[in-house]
């Protein structure tokens, strides 16, 4: 019995020992499996979130999921083997993640709430990752801004910047030309195309509408695909459609070409100022950007001079029958495309903005360009031995790149995906200028841009219309009136101009080879008369009677015969189409071009003053001060009762207000960071064109009615703009964000 007891005890000890050995072995196997799974998970995490390793090292591995779905550190250890359940086998003192968790199984005590909290943890972690990424980009941008300013100071201001100045000046000059083209050709084009008053109005506004769209589109694209590339595309579109517009014959085709031409040139101002500012150090940035504004004035002078030299020369034309006509105003349209073509040719020799490359993580490309700037300036200054000392430049973590679909996808599918992604990126960039950080600045800038544009463009178009109205009044005062005259057997072969004939009787009279300008016949009788080879302008027959009268080769179409009766009268071989009238007053044409020339040239003193003082008194003082003086000058408009007085006031207003525009351009460039600069500038410039359309439409509707309303509108808008400008932050002496 005693032996049996010892046998059973030994057997029990053996079984217990075997169980202990099996349990230890099982624990060791579980531990190795767990470590393998941990290693695989760590490798996946490193591949997926490599960009966030530095920030997340202290957070992601500080503990394990706890009951609340968060992270905790378990400091308790099991005191004995019985403390481990079957569900947690493989868990030891060095490893705090239980075996079931590898399979996505929550802890037994967490229940459903733990599962929901786990999903929330993933979403919260993604949000933290995005926030960390944005914070890292912001930190990189701040460091880059400081370092970039230091690099530009080392590169210096010299030959490279002045070369770029003239290249970008051509692009800005093309924008200035585009504003004037339609206004100069409209008097001739309306006759060539038989334009009605609504059609003339639409043709005058279509350029602004195109520029509004172009500013928004090209401004957004320039922050994503580059300043230089976007500017080349926009100028190419402008050149091509400006060229086509000089040859197309129909009104609809001409309107379409001018619209697309306006869309192309709309990107000029937002891109040019942003592009040039990224090569300028802070000490002279305001001054040089103001000097750049002078090319807009040069564009206006170029357009006025070319119109003066070309359009009145009607001999510079040819035609192929009556279907195709190419008159002098079309030559002028063609010549006005030259600045844009020249800008494209010159821009191909210039590099992309290095700041754009650095903002998109392209270090080597940016370094090469900055070295080119440095070496070019140093050689020009006589220091070719100076070496570019910068070796490493801070770059900003780039935004997500476009999706690579591989070689298997069709080309059109690749382009569709790329364009879709590009659209979303541009739209997201546009939305960020209304984020809480920039919202107040954007709304204030919108108000200032709108008020400035509404008053400036409204008045600059209202001035010429008022001059024309005063000319018309003066012309009407010289009208000769003839009442109840009787004329028989007389041949008229000389020009008839600015006359009114009422209740006249004309018997067997001949009107041959003559020109009629501003002639009106009212309640008159024409019997057995003969009209041959008549060219008329602003000539009408109202309530007249024609008996046995022949019209041969005339342009006295039915619409010129208002409420008139035709009895046994015949029209033979009427002139076809809308031929240019030689009757048009060349003196008036020269006056229009001369007035525009003077108005554009008058901004030269304002440009010089603003350039010299921009970096001395600051952007805000320049903007507010110029707006206030412009507001005061508006009240002098009430004294403009003559043509010469209106011209003088036009020059005064233009010379003062240009300083506001220069400071507004500089301020817009410096208020927004580089990755949003052209997007914000493009949007504000698009708003500017919208305000211009509204201002022109409202102001011109009061021509000949009253001066008080335009004066009050303009002065009120300028006063509001100057007040709001003082609420903006001053950017003088700051690095480019």
């Amino acid at each position: 019995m005693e032996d049996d007891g010892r046998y059973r005890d030994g057997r029990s000890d053996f079984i217990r020992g075997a169980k202990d050995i099996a349990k230890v072995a099982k624990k060791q196997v579980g531990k190795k499996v767990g470590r393998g799974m941990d290693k695989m998970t760590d490798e996946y995490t490193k591949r997926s979130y490599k960009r966030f390793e530095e920030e997340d090292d202290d957070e992601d591995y500080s503990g394990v999921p706890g009951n609340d779905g968060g992270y905790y550190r378990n400091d308790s250890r099991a005191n004995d083997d019985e403390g481990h359940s079957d569900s947690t086998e493989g868990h030891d003192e060095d490893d705090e993640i239980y075996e079931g968790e590898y399979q996505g199984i929550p802890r037994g005590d967490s229940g459903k709430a733990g599962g929901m909290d786990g999903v929330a943890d993933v979403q919260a972690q993604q949000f933290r990752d995005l926030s960390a990424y944005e914070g890292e980009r912001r930190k990189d941008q701040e460091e880059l801004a400081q370092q970039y300013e230091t690099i530009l100071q080392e590169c210096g201001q010299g030959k490279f910047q002045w070369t770029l100045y003239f290249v970008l000046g051509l692009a800005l000059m093309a924008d200035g030309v585009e504003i004037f083209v339609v206004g100069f050709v409209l008097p001739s084009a309306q006759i060539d195309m038989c334009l009605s008053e609504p059609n003339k109005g639409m043709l005058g506004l279509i350029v602004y509408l195109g520029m509004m769209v172009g500013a928004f589109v090209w401004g957004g694209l320039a922050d994503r695909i580059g300043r230089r590339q976007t500017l080349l595309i926009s100028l190419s579109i402008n050149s091509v459609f400006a060229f086509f517009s000089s040859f197309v014959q129909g009104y609809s085709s001409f309107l379409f070409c001018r619209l697309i031409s306006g869309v192309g040139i709309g990107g000029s101002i937002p891109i040019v100022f942003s592009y040039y500012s990224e090569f300028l150090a802070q000490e002279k940035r305001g001054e040089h950007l103001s000097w750049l504004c002078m090319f807009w004035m040069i564009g206006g002078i170029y357009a006025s001079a070319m119109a003066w030299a070309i359009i009145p020369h009607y001999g510079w034309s040819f035609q192929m029958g009556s279907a195709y006509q190419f008159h002098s105003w079309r030559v002028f349209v063609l010549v006005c495309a030259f600045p844009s073509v020249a800008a494209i040719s010159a821009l191909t020799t210039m590099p992309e903005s290095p700041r754009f490359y650095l903002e998109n993580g392209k270090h080597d490309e940016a370094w090469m360009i900055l070295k080119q700037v440095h070496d070019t300036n140093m050689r020009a200054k006589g220091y070719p031995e100076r070496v570019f000392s910068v070796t490493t430049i801070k770059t900003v973590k780039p935004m997500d790149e476009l999706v690579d679909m591989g070689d298997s996808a069709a080309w059109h599918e690749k382009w569709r995906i790329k364009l879709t992604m590009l659209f979303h990126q541009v739209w997201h960039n546009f939305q960020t200028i209304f984020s809480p950080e920039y919202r107040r600045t954007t709304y204030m800038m919108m108000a200032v841009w709108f008020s400035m544009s509404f008053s400036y463009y409204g008045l600059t178009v209202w001035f010429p219309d008022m001059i024309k109205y005063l000319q018309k009044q003066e012309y009407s005062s010289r009208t000769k009136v003839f009442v109840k005259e009787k004329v028989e057997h007389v041949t008229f072969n000389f020009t008839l101009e600015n006359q009114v004939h009422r209740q006249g009787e004309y018997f067997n009279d001949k009107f041959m080879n003559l020109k009629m300008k501003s002639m009106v016949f009212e309640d008159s009788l024409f019997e057995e008369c003969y009209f041959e080879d008549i060219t008329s302008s602003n000539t009408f027959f109202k309530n007249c009677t024609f008996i046995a009268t022949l019209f041969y080769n005339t342009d006295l179409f039915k619409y010129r015969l208002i409420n008139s009766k035709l009895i046994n009268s015949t029209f033979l071989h009427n002139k076809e189409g809308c031929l240019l009238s030689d009757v048009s007053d060349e003196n008036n044409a020269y006056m229009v071009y001369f007035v525009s020339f003077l108005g554009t040239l008058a901004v030269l003193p304002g440009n010089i003053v603003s350039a010299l003082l921009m970096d001395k008194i600051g952007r805000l003082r320049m903007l507010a001060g110029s707006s206030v003086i412009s507001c005061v000058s508006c009240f002098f408009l009430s004294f403009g009762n003559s043509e010469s007085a209106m011209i003088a006031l036009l020059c005064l207003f233009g010379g003062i207000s240009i300083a506001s525009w220069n400071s507004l351009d500089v301020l817009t460039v410096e208020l927004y960071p580089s990755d949003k600069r052209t997007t914000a500038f493009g949007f504000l410039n698009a708003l500017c064109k919208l305000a211009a359309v509204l201002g022109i439409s409202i102001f011109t509707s009061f021509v000949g009615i009253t001066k008080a309303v335009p004066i009050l509108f303009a002065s009120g808008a300028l006063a509001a703009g100057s007040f709001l400008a003082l609420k903006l932050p001053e950017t003088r002496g700051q690095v480019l964000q």
Side-chain angles (χ1 to χ4, degrees):
M1 295 295 295
E2 187 174 326
D3 291 336
D4 292 338
R6 284 196 302 269
Y7 174 76
R8 284 193 296 270
D9 292 338
R11 183 181 179 183
S12 298
D13 292 336
F14 176 79
I15 293 173
R16 188 180 297 109
K19 287 183 178 181
D20 291 337
I21 293 173
K23 184 179 291 187
V24 171
K26 188 175 182 180
K27 288 167 61 178
Q28 294 298 325
V29 171
K31 182 176 180 180
K32 290 181 180 181
V33 172
R35 289 176 176 173
M37 294 295 293
D38 285 342
K39 184 176 182 180
M40 293 173 61
T41 304
D42 289 343
E43 289 297 321
Y44 174 77
T45 303
K46 290 178 181 179
R47 289 195 303 268
S48 302
Y49 301 98
K50 187 175 181 180
R51 67 177 68 175
F52 304 115
E53 277 183 341
E54 296 178 1
E55 288 80 10
D56 295 340
D57 281 345
D58 296 332
E59 296 176 6
D60 295 347
Y61 305 103
S62 60
V64 295
N67 296 340
D68 58 353
Y71 287 84
Y72 74 98
R73 186 177 299 278
N74 186 0
D75 294 329
S76 63
R77 296 186 179 183
N79 295 322
D80 51 42
D81 294 336
E82 288 77 15
H84 297 282
S85 65
D86 292 339
S87 64
T88 59
E89 286 185 356
H91 185 88
D92 63 2
E93 293 82 3
D94 299 325
D95 212 335
E96 294 181 356
I97 302 179
Y98 67 97
E99 183 180 22
E101 190 173 356
Y102 290 125
Q103 304 173 7
I105 304 173
R107 290 181 181 272
D109 56 354
S110 64
K112 294 183 179 180
M116 296 299 294
D117 290 341
V119 175
D121 286 342
V122 174
Q123 295 176 347
Q125 183 62 34
Q126 291 176 349
F127 180 76
R128 285 195 296 270
D129 291 343
L130 181 60
S131 300
Y133 178 62
E134 292 293 340
E136 191 172 346
R137 274 184 58 87
R138 182 180 298 277
K139 182 180 179 181
D140 291 344
Q141 288 173 334
E142 292 174 354
E143 294 178 6
L144 171 61
Q146 298 294 333
Q147 186 185 11
Y148 192 78
E149 180 63 34
T150 304
I151 295 173
L152 287 179
Q153 291 177 357
E154 179 179 344
C155 292
Q157 177 76 24
K159 180 180 178 181
F160 183 90
Q161 281 85 356
W162 284 113
T163 303
L164 184 63
Y165 168 81
F166 286 104
V167 172
L168 296 180
L170 289 173
L172 200 60
M173 178 180 172
D175 182 271
V177 170
E178 191 76 16
I179 293 292
F180 291 93
V181 169
V182 173
F184 287 158
V185 305
L186 197 56
S188 300
Q190 68 179 346
I191 302 173
D192 208 4
M193 298 181 181
C194 295
L195 299 183
S196 62
E197 289 299 324
N199 286 343
K200 287 193 296 182
M202 177 56 68
L203 190 57
L205 295 177
I206 198 67
V207 175
Y208 291 97
L209 296 176
M211 295 174 78
M212 177 178 68
V213 175
F216 183 80
V217 172
W218 302 121
L221 287 175
D223 276 331
R224 296 301 304 155
I225 66 177
R227 281 80 162 106
R228 175 179 175 273
Q229 182 177 352
T230 308
L231 187 57
L232 282 172
I233 295 173
S234 64
L235 290 175
S236 299
I237 292 175
N238 171 254
S239 302
V240 169
F241 283 91
F243 176 81
F244 286 157
S245 67
S246 67
F247 292 96
V248 296
Q249 293 294 298
Y251 166 74
S252 300
S253 302
F254 185 76
L255 189 72
F256 175 77
C257 287
R258 296 316 303 182
L259 172 65
I260 305 302
S261 175
V263 170
I265 202 61
S268 176
I269 289 180
I271 300 175
V272 162
F273 283 101
S274 301
Y275 190 5
Y276 192 47
S277 69
E278 292 168 358
F279 286 92
L280 300 173
Q282 65 181 16
E283 290 87 357
K284 296 290 185 179
R285 187 187 306 126
E287 177 182 342
H288 285 275
L289 288 176
S290 298
W291 288 126
L292 185 63
C293 294
M294 292 188 67
F295 276 93
W296 197 92
M297 174 200 71
I298 296 174
I301 294 176
Y302 173 84
S304 302
M306 291 298 102
W308 195 344
I310 296 174
I311 294 180
H313 293 277
Y314 302 117
W316 296 12
S317 61
F318 67 89
Q319 64 183 52
M320 301 171 62
S322 59
Y324 188 87
Q325 303 166 11
F326 192 90
H327 294 293
S328 57
W329 67 268
R330 296 183 181 275
V331 179
F332 167 73
V333 172
L334 189 62
V335 170
C336 285
F338 289 171
S340 184
V341 175
I344 294 172
S345 301
L347 192 59
T348 55
T349 64
M350 303 307 296
E352 177 59 83
S353 165
R355 184 65 176 267
F356 170 78
Y357 278 146
L358 294 171
E359 293 283 348
N360 288 273
K362 298 181 180 180
H363 174 275
D364 295 344
E365 294 89 338
W367 186 88
M368 290 297 294
I369 295 172
L370 289 170
K371 183 178 185 299
Q372 176 187 351
V373 175
H374 174 274
D375 294 347
T376 301
N377 290 339
M378 293 303 108
R379 284 195 299 267
K381 293 178 180 180
Y383 305 105
E385 71 281 358
R386 290 190 179 179
V387 179
F388 187 50
S389 62
V390 178
T391 57
T392 304
I393 309 174
K394 183 68 178 180
T395 57
V396 180
K397 289 183 179 296
M399 300 292 289
D400 293 336
E401 298 293 334
L402 299 178
V403 178
D404 184 8
M405 301 181 62
D407 298 331
S408 59
W411 66 270
H412 59 84
E413 186 67 18
K414 291 182 179 180
W415 275 103
R416 186 186 66 83
I417 295 296
K418 288 182 179 181
L419 291 177
T420 302
M421 292 293 295
L422 182 61
F423 170 79
H424 287 299
Q425 291 167 353
V426 171
W427 181 249
H428 172 73
N429 212 27
F430 168 70
Q431 289 178 317
T432 56
I433 68 176
F434 290 96
S435 63
E437 182 179 1
Y438 303 105
R439 184 180 300 152
R440 181 181 181 276
T441 299
T442 300
Y443 284 142
M444 298 287 286
M445 291 295 290
M446 287 174 62
V448 176
W449 271 90
F450 188 92
S451 61
M452 282 289 301
S453 179
F454 179 80
S455 57
Y456 177 81
Y457 285 100
L459 284 180
T460 51
V461 175
W462 180 76
F463 274 118
D465 285 354
M466 278 298 299
I467 293 174
K468 292 178 183 178
Y469 174 74
L470 294 175
Q471 290 175 341
K472 186 177 180 180
Q473 279 191 322
E474 193 272 336
Y475 184 78
S476 299
S477 66
R478 295 186 282 110
T479 301
K480 296 180 180 179
V481 179
F482 301 88
V483 181
K484 294 183 179 181
E485 61 177 353
K486 292 184 179 181
V487 182
E488 297 179 357
H489 309 291
V490 175
T491 299
F492 296 89
N493 56 5
F494 50 86
T495 298
L496 299 176
E497 180 180 356
N498 199 16
Q499 299 176 7
V500 176
H501 296 263
R502 297 191 179 113
Q503 300 176 3
E505 295 181 6
Y506 304 89
F507 178 76
N508 197 20
D509 294 321
K510 294 182 179 180
F511 300 83
M512 302 177 63
N513 301 317
L514 62 82
K515 299 164 185 174
M516 294 183 177
K517 179 180 179 181
S518 299
M519 293 291 295
V520 178
F521 295 88
E522 297 179 352
D523 303 312
S524 299
L525 173 65
F526 295 85
E527 186 175 357
E528 297 181 8
C529 292
Y530 181 68
F531 292 84
E532 179 182 353
D533 195 15
I534 305 297
T535 302
S536 62
S537 173
N538 196 29
T539 297
F540 300 96
F541 297 84
K542 301 178 180 179
N543 301 316
C544 295
T545 301
F546 297 88
I547 301 175
T549 298
L550 176 63
F551 297 87
Y552 183 84
N553 191 29
T554 71
D555 62 358
L556 300 177
F557 304 114
K558 295 288 182 71
Y559 73 88
R560 297 190 185 276
L561 310 180
I562 302 173
N563 297 326
S564 298
K565 297 180 181 180
L566 296 172
I567 302 174
N568 296 328
S569 298
T570 306
F571 288 86
L572 295 177
H573 300 287
N574 287 340
K575 293 184 177 181
E576 298 179 359
C578 298
L579 303 178
L580 272 177
S581 175
D582 292 335
V583 179
S584 57
D585 191 350
E586 295 185 10
N587 292 328
N588 286 340
Y590 281 119
M591 179 58 68
V592 171
Y593 310 142
F594 182 66
V595 168
S596 298
F597 178 83
L598 287 180
T600 308
L601 187 62
V603 307
L604 179 60
N607 262 320
I608 295 175
V609 171
S610 64
L612 296 177
L613 298 181
M614 187 68 70
D615 288 318
K616 293 181 173 59
I617 67 174
R619 288 74 163 127
L620 296 187
R621 291 181 180 177
M622 179 70 70
L623 175 58
S626 176
S627 298
V628 169
I629 300 175
S630 299
C631 176
V632 174
S633 69
C634 287
F635 289 100
F636 290 100
L637 297 177
S638 57
F639 302 103
N641 296 321
S642 65
E643 185 176 331
S644 57
M646 293 301 295
I647 294 174
L649 290 171
L650 170 63
C651 295
L652 175 65
F653 179 77
I656 296 173
S657 60
I658 191 63
S660 298
W661 283 111
N662 292 355
S663 54
L664 192 58
D665 291 333
V666 176
L667 196 63
T668 305
V669 164
E670 296 177 336
L671 278 176
Y672 292 94
S674 294
D675 61 337
K676 302 173 182 63
R677 182 168 295 123
T678 58
T679 300
F681 206 137
F683 166 69
L684 293 172
N685 197 253
L687 183 67
C688 163
K689 297 303 184 289
L690 176 61
V693 172
L694 294 176
I696 292 171
S697 302
I698 294 174
F699 281 48
T700 54
S701 64
F702 291 98
V703 172
I705 299 176
T706 178
K707 294 181 183 178
V709 175
I711 291 173
L712 290 176
F713 278 173
S715 57
L718 289 170
S722 60
F723 173 76
L724 293 173
L726 295 175
K727 303 296 182 181
L728 291 167
E730 177 60 74
T731 58
R732 180 182 57 158
Q734 296 182 6
V735 298
L736 204 61
Q737 292 188 43

